[in-house]
Amino acid sequence: MEVGLRLLLSPLGSNIVVRTACCSVGVVLPVYSTFSAIERRDQEEQKKWLMYWAAYGSFSMVELFTDKLLHWFPLYYYTKFAFLVWLQLPSINGAKQVYMNHLRPFLLEHQARLDQIVGFLYGEMSRLVSQYQEEFVFVKTILMKILAPGKDNTRPEQRQASAAIEGANREDESESEDDE
């Protein structure tokens, strides 16, 4: 433990260590804690982690636009690490403070407009998926063949499409052999 803290807090150390710590504290631990709360069906813990994810998501959105500027500041990742720990500390409950004092008032004020935007975006995503359904199935089929060689995970219509593609390739190969 002491070695880990020395490595994390070493001013000469690389930002890679503290960035990894930020990812672990900011995402890995909360994912498992959220999973545990869901599996235990603990309503209070679920609410706590929903507030955390709302605060973390908002922080990530802000960071998306400011990271290129802020990461140059000394101790930026250490500050980020401290903020992520602060969000989760049970004694302080920083995520609840961020949610109740900042996010909730903002979202309540703009809820009607945000509902319109979200509805529009979901509609557009549904339209896009419907429009390109065949392409998604094709890509899925290829990925399944790559990721699980020797195992046929495809539906009959996907097998026919794959056979047609492979048949076309065999015809091309036989034509090139005939040309020689």
Side-chain angles (χ1 to χ4, degrees), residues 44-105:
E44 283 303 309
E45 278 293 299
Q46 289 175 14
K47 187 175 180 179
K48 171 189 167 187
W49 288 109
L50 280 171
M51 286 186 203
Y52 171 80
W53 288 114
Y56 180 82
S58 300
F59 169 72
S60 294
M61 287 298 298
V62 169
E63 187 181 38
L64 180 70
F65 297 106
T66 61
D67 188 51
K68 296 296 181 201
L69 174 67
L70 293 179
H71 83 276
W72 289 100
F73 286 104
L75 304 176
Y76 167 68
Y77 289 107
Y78 296 97
T79 306
K80 178 180 174 180
F81 178 79
F83 175 72
L84 293 172
V85 169
W86 176 81
L87 283 177
Q88 296 177 48
L89 283 176
S91 59
I92 298 172
N93 211 350
K96 184 176 183 177
Q97 289 181 38
V98 169
Y99 179 81
M100 296 305 281
N101 296 333
H102 302 287
L103 288 175
R104 187 170 187 271

Side-chain angles (χ1 to χ4, degrees), residues 21-172:
C22 285
C23 182
S24 299
V25 168
V27 178
V28 176
L29 292 175
V31 164
Y32 184 75
S33 298
T34 303
F35 162 77
S36 295
I38 292 169
E39 292 302 311
R40 288 191 321 267
R41 292 181 169 81
D42 184 338
Q43 295 286 327
E44 283 303 309
E45 278 293 299
Q46 289 175 14
K47 187 175 180 179
K48 171 189 167 187
W49 288 109
L50 280 171
M51 286 186 203
Y52 171 80
W53 288 114
Y56 180 82
S58 300
F59 169 72
S60 294
M61 287 298 298
V62 169
E63 187 181 38
L64 180 70
F65 297 106
T66 61
D67 188 51
K68 296 296 181 201
L69 174 67
L70 293 179
H71 83 276
W72 289 100
F73 286 104
L75 304 176
Y76 167 68
Y77 289 107
Y78 296 97
T79 306
K80 178 180 174 180
F81 178 79
F83 175 72
L84 293 172
V85 169
W86 176 81
L87 283 177
Q88 296 177 48
L89 283 176
S91 59
I92 298 172
N93 211 350
K96 184 176 183 177
Q97 289 181 38
V98 169
Y99 179 81
M100 296 305 281
N101 296 333
H102 302 287
L103 288 175
R104 187 170 187 271
F106 175 82
L107 295 173
L108 285 172
E109 182 180 337
H110 301 286
Q111 187 173 9
R113 182 70 179 136
L114 291 169
D115 285 343
Q116 289 176 339
I117 293 169
V118 168
F120 172 77
L121 290 174
Y122 277 130
E124 289 298 306
M125 285 190 303
S126 295
R127 187 181 62 77
L128 181 77
V129 168
S130 296
Q131 186 176 356
Y132 294 102
Q133 187 67 36
E134 290 178 21
E135 287 83 355
F136 287 125
V137 170
F138 178 73
V139 170
K140 179 184 173 189
T141 302
I142 290 174
L143 288 174
M144 293 304 289
K145 284 185 178 268
I146 292 169
L147 297 175
K151 187 175 180 183
D152 193 3
N153 295 329
T154 58
R155 295 188 301 246
E157 65 272 11
Q158 291 172 320
R159 279 187 226 117
Q160 289 174 347
S162 297
I165 293 168
E166 291 170 4
N169 288 341
R170 286 189 194 122
E171 288 174 13
D172 293 343

